[in-house]
Amino acid sequence: MRVLLSALGSSGDVEPFIALAQGLSAAGHEPLLATGQIFAERAASLGIPFRGLGPDGDEVKAEMQAQFARILARKRPIEHLVMVTNTLAEMQLPEVPVLTELVRACDIVVY
């Protein structure tokens, strides 16, 4: 079975997908990890097929730090939630065409 594993975020978001990819490979399946470029070396070191998504890690980190400073400047928690949700959606939107292409080649998607 061909399995697309896609997660955008930090190590805490992506490491479970890496572990899942390892388990799938051990069970004879064909995982493909699609996530930020900063995880390319980690995936390669474990023999996990990889497709990079989004801008490089330094660019993402700098933008996220600036955005979270703006978020924390707000006083209402509901504004924090709205801003975080919007930020994550904006980051992922450009990846939709790439993910659409990858989905077509897979039997199942874990997102």
Side-chain angles (χ1 to χ4, degrees):
M1 179 171 50
R2 297 165 301 181
V3 182
L4 174 61
L5 304 166
S6 180
L8 291 177
S10 67
S11 293
D13 300 298
V14 176
E15 284 295 331
F17 285 78
I18 290 173
L20 182 56
Q22 289 178 292
L24 288 165
S25 288
H29 300 291
E30 301 173 35
L32 172 62
L33 180 63
T35 189
Q37 293 288 348
I38 61 172
F39 298 100
E41 284 185 37
R42 174 101 169 100
S45 74
L46 297 170
I48 299 170
F50 179 84
R51 173 71 182 261
L53 297 176
D56 71 36
D58 291 336
E59 183 179 332
V60 170
K61 184 177 179 181
E63 175 56 31
M64 289 304 294
Q65 286 175 336
Q67 181 65 358
F68 279 112
R70 290 188 291 272
I71 290 168
L72 293 175
R74 303 290 181 123
K75 301 299 180 203
R76 298 176 52 213
I78 193 68
E79 290 178 358
H80 295 175
L81 179 60
V82 169
M83 291 177 76
V84 167
T85 302
N86 288 342
T87 298
L88 293 173
E90 288 170 8
M91 286 176 58
Q92 294 179 37
L93 189 58
E95 303 311 319
V96 170
V98 174
L99 289 169
T100 300
E101 170 193 327
L102 296 175
V103 165
R104 288 189 177 117
C106 292
D107 301 308
I108 190 168
V109 176
V110 180
Y111 179 80

